[in-house]
Amino acid sequence: MAVGVVAGVESQERRGGGAGTGRVTAFVVLSCVTAGMGGVIFGYDIGIAGGVSSMEPFLRKFFPEVHRRMEGDVRVSNYCKFDSQLLTAFTSSLYVAGLLTTFAASRVTAGRGRRPSMLLGGAAFLAGAAVGGASVDIYMVILGRVLLGVGLGFANQAVPLYLSEMAPSRWRGAFSNGFQLSVGVGALAANVINYGTEKIRGGWGWRVSLALAAVPAGLLTLGALFLPETPNSLIQQGKVERCDVEQLLKKIRGADDVADELDTIVAANSATAGVGGGGLQMLLTQRRYRPQLAMAVMIPFFQQVTGINAIAFYAPVLLRTIGMGESASLLSAVVTGVVGVGATLLSMFAVDRFGRRTLFLAGGAQMLASQVLIGGIMAAKLGDDGGVSRAWAAALILLIAAYVAGFGWSWGPLGWLVPSEVFPLEVRSAGQSVTVATSFVFTVFVAQAFLAMLCRMRAGIFFFFAAWLAAMTAFVYLLLPETKGVPIEEVAGVWRGHWFWSRVVGGDGEEEERNNGGKL
């Protein structure tokens, strides 16, 4: 049934009807590139934290106890040198702030539009970069991270929705994966900048690293002033005439015949009129949204327990743990960053050709094998003292790169794409807020717990993440239907054709909702 839905939609698009009408225009590409600056900032903030927290001047100024361990003044296991709750608070404070901001951002995104959320996010990013770069004590450093987190709460709410709604359905995967590509580019830029600023004499290079977050933040803020709102959001707000939305849709699609797509958007929005309660209440209480709600929780949860953020946050720290020098560890992080960007770029071309499930399953298997091998090498070769040989260090770097590549073309981009495309318009902003909030909750947990877990579990932490990788790959195989090529306002149909979810939503989800009063 799910295959039949996809085939039917693709056939409709080949005939020229439906949401797939039109071409990829320069207008939509430019709009999405500008919006993608939100992803660049996200990646930059992830990459920059791990780099500066391995720099000796930064540690000496703000985390002297960790610096003493690195210098060997205190005898401690290799796995425990960076174990500091204050150091992890520096990393995770950004995501705590993002979590607390998410639901406020959801109301702005639904009620005011995707564009105002991006403007607010950009302004908060600019303030965070300024405070971080000018920090004189640990409180200012963490305040800067908190302001960046507020920006993330707004940007991560709005940007994936903006990309998925602006893109033609047949290229929605590629456009939406552009968010993860932007995240990868931001992380790579952070690694390159950290590698350069670490060499600045005088020990103030970390200030440059933190302050340069203002560059993509400024581009996002300035660009958002000129971005159009998405047609879906304009219809949802009800403040613009249908003819004006139609003209914008023609400009976006580069086609004159957009009536079918506009009718689909209007019909999806009208579903809200007959149902009481806000989007979040509808999402949490109505049976027809059960599959989407499950994906909004489980996919970002699994995305975090892959262990990717442990490596993204702490790759330089991890490499210093195995005995590499400060500069070498930062350079190795640059190499893995290049691999991650390349893999995400590959996924942009592959996702609409091979589908979401194929990339999820293949990437999960690649990451699982890499984690097991990393854990095995560290368990066998790295004790509490000393380091590993150059050959084993090179092997670990290659395995980390293979792991990052697997994430870069599977769970990285698809972890944002799939949740952003499965929700009907009336609950789309609420669904995105659940996705972002879940992601932040477990990002905070991983960021705050990783160094302590590394200290106590040692190499076993990689087997911990490998077990979750096995579980999440099985989850995708059993419970995620394919959404390739399905117009965003018609994705609900794939659940009624799925072997498991059809039992949850029934053969006619909407009729069942009316009969049951919208409850289970």
Side-chain angles (χ1 to χ4, degrees), residues 180-189 191-192 308 311 315 330-348 366-367 370 394-410 412-413:
Q180 182 63 30
L181 178 65
S182 299
V183 173
V185 169
L188 175 59
N191 290 331
V192 171
I308 185 62
I311 288 179
L330 291 172
L331 180 59
S332 298
V334 171
V335 173
T336 57
V338 171
V339 171
V341 170
T344 305
L345 190 60
L346 175 65
S347 79
M348 293 179 67
Q366 180 177 332
M367 296 167 72
S370 300
L396 284 170
I397 292 170
L398 287 174
L399 287 170
I400 290 173
Y403 170 84
V404 170
F407 182 84
W409 58 270
S410 63

Side-chain angles (χ1 to χ4, degrees), residues 174-513:
F175 272 81
S176 295
N177 279 10
F179 180 73
Q180 182 63 30
L181 178 65
S182 299
V183 173
V185 169
L188 175 59
N191 290 331
V192 171
I193 288 168
N194 281 335
Y195 179 68
T197 58
E198 179 267 332
K199 301 179 183 303
I200 295 177
R201 294 180 180 178
W204 50 270
W206 60 269
R207 293 190 184 276
V208 178
S209 293
L210 294 178
L212 283 178
V215 175
L219 292 174
L220 174 65
T221 308
L222 183 62
L225 292 171
F226 302 99
L227 286 179
E229 189 54 83
T230 68
N232 311 64
S233 181
L234 291 173
I235 291 294
Q236 185 178 32
Q237 294 174 65
K239 298 177 181 178
V240 179
E241 296 294 330
R242 178 187 170 109
C243 59
D244 294 327
V245 178
E246 185 174 11
Q247 290 302 313
L248 174 61
L249 196 55
K250 288 179 180 180
K251 186 176 182 181
I252 292 171
R253 297 289 176 249
D256 291 328
D257 182 13
V258 295
D260 287 346
E261 181 173 1
L262 184 56
D263 288 341
T264 302
I265 295 171
V266 171
N269 183 63
S270 68
T272 311
V275 185
L280 185 60
Q281 180 184 351
M282 293 166 61
L283 180 63
L284 296 176
T285 60
Q286 294 189 13
R287 181 174 181 170
R288 58 177 161 166
Y289 302 126
R290 290 291 183 270
Q292 294 97 322
L293 180 60
M295 296 302 150
V297 173
M298 297 308 297
I299 288 179
F301 164 72
F302 282 134
Q303 188 186 47
Q304 298 311 312
V305 295
T306 59
I308 185 62
N309 277 341
I311 288 179
F313 296 151
Y314 301 118
V317 169
L318 184 61
L319 293 170
R320 294 203 71 182
T321 296
I322 65 174
M324 296 183 69
E326 180 179 350
S327 184
S329 66
L330 291 172
L331 180 59
S332 298
V334 171
V335 173
T336 57
V338 171
V339 171
V341 170
T344 305
L345 190 60
L346 175 65
S347 79
M348 293 179 67
F349 294 98
V351 66
D352 290 311
R353 179 178 178 85
F354 298 105
R356 283 66 163 150
R357 280 170 52 87
T358 300
L359 296 190
F360 264 134
L361 295 173
Q366 180 177 332
M367 296 167 72
L368 173 60
S370 300
Q371 283 279 29
V372 170
L373 290 172
I374 290 170
I377 291 173
M378 292 191 70
K381 299 296 179 181
L382 183 66
D384 287 334
D385 300 305
V388 300
S389 69
R390 182 172 296 181
W392 284 115
L396 284 170
I397 292 170
L398 287 174
L399 287 170
I400 290 173
Y403 170 84
V404 170
F407 182 84
W409 58 270
S410 63
W411 278 91
L414 299 181
W416 293 104
L417 166 61
V418 173
S420 74
E421 70 181 358
V422 298
F423 286 99
L425 179 62
E426 66 271 16
V427 294
R428 189 169 298 151
S429 181
Q432 184 68 10
S433 71
V434 172
T435 300
V436 174
T438 304
S439 179
F440 279 144
V441 165
F442 289 101
T443 300
V444 169
F445 171 78
V446 172
Q448 194 67 30
F450 176 71
L451 293 179
M453 290 171 69
L454 179 65
C455 178
R456 289 155 183 80
M457 297 175 67
R458 291 170 163 75
I461 192 171
F462 298 98
F463 298 111
F464 170 82
F465 288 128
W468 281 113
L469 282 162
M472 60 203 267
T473 303
F475 173 86
V476 168
Y477 181 78
L478 294 172
L479 296 176
L480 181 66
E482 184 57 69
T483 53
K484 180 187 74 170
V486 183
I488 194 168
E489 303 303 345
E490 299 177 19
V491 170
V494 302
W495 309 107
R496 292 193 291 272
H498 188 267
W499 72 272
F500 175 79
W501 295 117
S502 61
R503 305 174 191 179
V504 176
V505 301
D508 186 345
E510 293 186 10
E511 181 178 350
E512 215 169 300
E513 287 293 332

Side-chain angles (χ1 to χ4, degrees), residues 65-106:
E65 178 61 30
V66 175
H67 183 258
R68 283 196 296 272
R69 293 179 200 164
M70 286 302 302
E71 292 295 301
D73 292 346
V74 179
R75 180 166 176 78
V76 66
S77 167
N78 276 323
Y79 292 97
C80 299
K81 289 180 178 179
F82 286 89
D83 182 20
S84 165
Q85 288 302 299
L86 187 60
L87 179 59
T88 50
F90 161 71
T91 299
S92 61
S93 57
L94 180 143
Y95 302 97
V96 173
L99 171 63
L100 297 176
T101 306
T102 293
F103 290 101
S106 174

